[in-house]
Amino acid sequence: MGHPELKAETLRRRTFAIISHPDAGKTTLTEKLLLYGGAIRQAGSVKARKAARHATSDWMEIEKQRGISVTSSAMQFDFDGYRINILDTPGHQDFSEDTYRTLVAADSAVMLIDCAKGVEEQTIKLFKVCRMRSIPIFTFVNKLDRAGKDPFELMEELESVLGIRSCPVNWPIGLHGDDFRGVYHRDDRTVELYAGGNHGQNFVEVKTVSVDDPACAELIGKSYYDKLMEDTELLDVAGDEFDIDKILSGQLTPMFFGSAFNNFGVEPFLKRFLSYTKSPGARVADVGPIDPMDEKFTGFVFKIQANMNPAHRDRLAFMRVCSGVFEKGMTVWHSSSGERIKLSQPQQFMAQEHETVETAYPGDIIGLFDPGIFRLGDTLCTGSPVRYSGIPLFAPEFFSRVSPVDSMKRKQFLKGINQLSQEGAVQTFKRPGIGREEMIAGVVGALQMDVLEYRLKSEYGVEITRESLPYRFVRWVKTAPKPVDKLRLPSTTVPAVDKAGRDVLFFENEWSIRLCVENNKGLELDETADRAEADAIEV
Ligand code: G4P
């Protein structure tokens, strides 16, 4: 007898991440989404949390105080009958490989763009990961209450910088900030009028008028009306058609305009987003795709958060439910140990505090108490064992040569590095010819190197010396026309091997990556690598 709720609960789930560059308004938008979902009475708590986290520059102190607090990792709320899970991708300060891995657990992404700044660096990086997985990407252009770029220019930027075509679902009227009139919804031919003012924590009564109503031109102003007619004609004739298949396969991004801060355009966006996106789909495992409505429970671990407090070594493993029903206390098969384990103390995350979860459905995110047994990419399931394909290693962007200050501490140093690399906090590389104690540590966010040093000291009692290296890119050698040491490499490019002994090349800039590929016909480089191979090896 199957679980009676499984189908209905799965169908109403939507699990997504918001990707953006710092300051585009992600915190504000998240807060407003939660407000519309009724998850928090007053918007503001997300912001307060962010402010609290960044109020002091002493990250380590914050982490210590935060302990194992996880409130910002996933948020859940209901809206219009849907159950929504928002995965948090941290801002600039906290940027790490975790940020990339989180996207592996999302079914779609909302790409938030500041209308004045357009596509920025961090957005590009996160977009690439979404692209890799072909998940649908919805674009929300924010801060329309301020002067910004021409929307046609933004569409062009999406195409030239990100390589994705866009299809505006609505269109802004008035682009100079102070003359912002509202947006035109192309699907129902209505203009939603912008009332101005900061509505912060209150719902805004939406005023709309049909574009075919003679009063419309008067309400927004004749010149704006004429411009709107001109723009939309151009869009109808020259723009891409709204094609839901292309959107769902990540080839076309629907584009929305609004102002999160002023609660403008958020609700219409959310409604359309929810109706266009699909509930969790099948995920591919070694036995083939597994349907979320399969009675068999399956899930995978995509993030492991360590407790910074040395008195508590336990960690929290984040799992995404992929199929079946998760129930508290259930016994599951665990892929990396090959054993059956009981999942007790699972936690789910709400806007403000986490609470113990009794039941969870496909698309939901659960935190599992981890005494140190979980690995990134682990599959957990009931019944016969299955494995989801692993979570890749993403190319680090900051590199340092590290070694223990005291060579007698080599054992602890290696143990610490090993455990931290299994957690996904660091990747290690070796250059031919460098000493046994030394290795190259690579991390995705600059701050992560400080975290590494701090954790080795506080958790493993090892002080390290650290020398920054000038490289900003590492690429795995997929195929090479000849042995790597015989390749024609740019002068600043150096070969090394990763933890699993695979050949890699370090580069200082993208230009030298291109040059290297041009100079060595048949050379293929990868930005990601298989994690499982590296995890199996101790350095
Ligand atoms: P982030 O999480 O992406 O880093 O961005 P966050 O929401 O913190 O927003 C960054 C800044 O942009 C904030 O201003 C925020 O108020 C502002 N902002 C967000 N959405 C809009 C919008 O639609 N219009 C305008 N004009 N501003 C917006 P701040 O001055 O840094 O912080 P605060 O003083 O407002 O708290």
Side-chain angles (χ1 to χ4, degrees), residues 257-442:
F257 295 84
S259 167
F261 185 68
N262 293 293
N263 297 8
F264 186 80
V266 176
E267 199 182 11
F269 163 73
L270 182 60
K271 283 194 166 150
R272 286 166 176 84
F273 171 79
L274 293 170
S275 74
Y276 301 153
T277 47
K278 288 242 169 9
S279 56
R283 287 226 167 204
V284 180
D286 55 353
V287 294
I290 297 180
D291 191 275
M293 286 172 226
D294 197 319
E295 289 296 324
K296 175 189 181 70
F297 159 79
T298 64
F300 69 90
V301 174
F302 64 93
K303 173 172 171 166
I304 292 173
Q305 184 165 311
N307 190 346
M308 285 296 168
N309 184 342
H312 300 277
R313 280 290 178 83
D314 44 75
R315 309 185 294 192
L316 201 66
F318 291 84
M319 175 187 69
R320 176 188 152 121
V321 179
C322 296
S323 71
V325 182
F326 170 87
E327 269 154 0
K328 186 179 161 189
M330 79 195 309
T331 298
V332 298
W333 179 78
H334 169 228
S335 65
S336 65
S337 66
E339 286 173 10
R340 296 209 174 253
I341 54 171
K342 194 172 158 131
L343 299 179
S344 46
Q345 301 185 25
Q347 294 175 325
Q348 199 159 34
F349 313 98
M350 297 299 285
Q352 282 157 311
E353 55 215 63
H354 51 262
E355 43 184 58
T356 304
V357 59
E358 299 291 328
T359 316
Y361 296 93
D364 287 346
I365 308 299
I366 293 170
L368 299 169
F369 170 75
D370 175 19
I373 57 170
F374 294 120
R375 303 270 174 276
L376 288 165
D378 272 357
T379 302
L380 301 170
C381 64
T382 52
S384 55
V386 297
R387 282 171 203 271
Y388 284 109
S389 46
I391 295 180
L393 287 171
F394 294 94
E397 292 156 28
F398 297 89
F399 303 88
S400 286
R401 200 189 297 247
V402 294
S403 56
V405 170
D406 177 356
S407 59
M408 300 292 284
K409 293 254 172 106
R410 179 166 183 268
K411 232 174 150 180
Q412 288 96 309
F413 169 71
L414 292 181
K415 183 175 169 216
I417 287 266
N418 260 321
Q419 290 190 355
L420 295 176
S421 88
Q422 277 175 351
E423 227 177 71
V426 62
Q427 290 180 43
T428 56
F429 302 90
K430 287 229 153 205
R431 283 200 57 190
I434 69 166
R436 281 203 326 151
E437 264 94 47
E438 263 188 17
M439 60 175 68
I440 296 174

Side-chain angles (χ1 to χ4, degrees), residues 21-28 47 50 142-143 145-146 259-261:
H21 194 81
D23 273 347
K26 185 159 63 76
T27 312
T28 312
K47 188 98 203 171
K50 178 175 155 170
N142 193 27
K143 307 198 185 181
D145 56 304
R146 285 203 198 146
S259 167
F261 185 68

